Amino acid sequence: MKHWRIEQVAWDRFDPTKVDPEIIPLVKAAAMVEKNGGDYALYLGGVFHDDPDFRNAAEYWSVEEIQHGDALGKWAMIADPGWDFDAAFARYRAGFRIKTDADASIRGSRTGELIARCMVETGTSSYYTALGEATEEPVLREVCRLIAADEYRHFKLFYDHMRRYLAREKLSFPRRLRVAAGRIGESEDDELAYAYHCGNEPEDLPYDHDRCIAAYMARAMGAYRLRHIERGMGMIFKAVGLPPRGRLSAVAAKGAWRLLQWRRDRYRRQAAAAASGAAAARAAAATA
Ligand SMILES: [Fe+2]
Ligand SMILES: [Fe+2]
């Protein structure tokens, strides 16, 4: 059922001279979040316990997400041969777990759950498109293109099921909007920040959410261009029931693009300050 397999990627085209070292930490963090997809399938299986069609689709979906993690992890180990994906992922699993034994959605309704999933797939579809276009390394470009295509299909999958539940549950527009906005806001919670920590920072350095999300976002936000935000905004609009291509969507995309640039620059300053603070602490420790 998978649309592609890891073995199909032309790994032998890897070109170390085209690797941007700033992209490697992003790939390591993303690999872990993706590989954790199995837990989300367990959670969704509980939420949709009496819907075998959806449960089946969610099973296939999680197989694809786990493959995203394996492909990104493989690339990161080629780009940085000293990196151990299994060890980093074990560390991640030990410190970050989602609730898998739910019998109802944490979003308050099944429609809400599916809108939240649409937001995640909008984010990943936009991100891998942006990341693939931002890198010159041919294998990572190919991997990102394959993953981005999966993420877009995932969006459509959750969207179609959402429409089915919307007809039944009739979740109001403000509620749909609230769930969507809430899930977008969560993208800066621990899931990615902790993955950045486990993938990139030494084990003796305690986890710090603000430091890690700044380090991650300072790099990740740099990959985006206005066109990625416009496309993502169209998907968000579609998921909440607004016209995806219209004046309102274009205005919202421009506003989001300005906000993203402002936040990217703020994260860059925070990350630079944290890095110089760490360097000063190391220097002080060395002379002590
Ligand atoms: Fe994915
Ligand atoms: Fe996905």
Side-chain angles (χ1 to χ4, degrees), residues 168-201:
R168 199 183 303 172
E169 296 179 332
K170 304 207 167 25
L171 199 66
S172 72
F173 175 71
R175 279 171 177 261
R176 280 179 274 157
L177 203 58
R178 199 183 312 153
V179 171
R183 185 57 190 87
I184 293 168
E186 286 169 27
S187 58
E188 295 179 18
D189 287 358
D190 283 327
E191 185 176 45
L192 264 170
Y194 192 64
Y196 179 88
H197 172 67
C198 296
N200 297 288
E201 295 188 331

Side-chain angles (χ1 to χ4, degrees), residues 34 65 68 128 147 151:
E34 294 279 350
E65 298 296 7
H68 297 170
Y128 291 113
I147 295 179
E151 310 294 22

Side-chain angles (χ1 to χ4, degrees), residues 34 61 64-66 68-69 121 124 128 147 150-151 154:
E34 294 279 350
W61 161 81
E64 294 193 337
E65 298 296 7
I66 293 165
H68 297 170
E121 303 297 346
T124 53
Y128 291 113
I147 295 179
D150 280 351
E151 310 294 22
H154 295 164

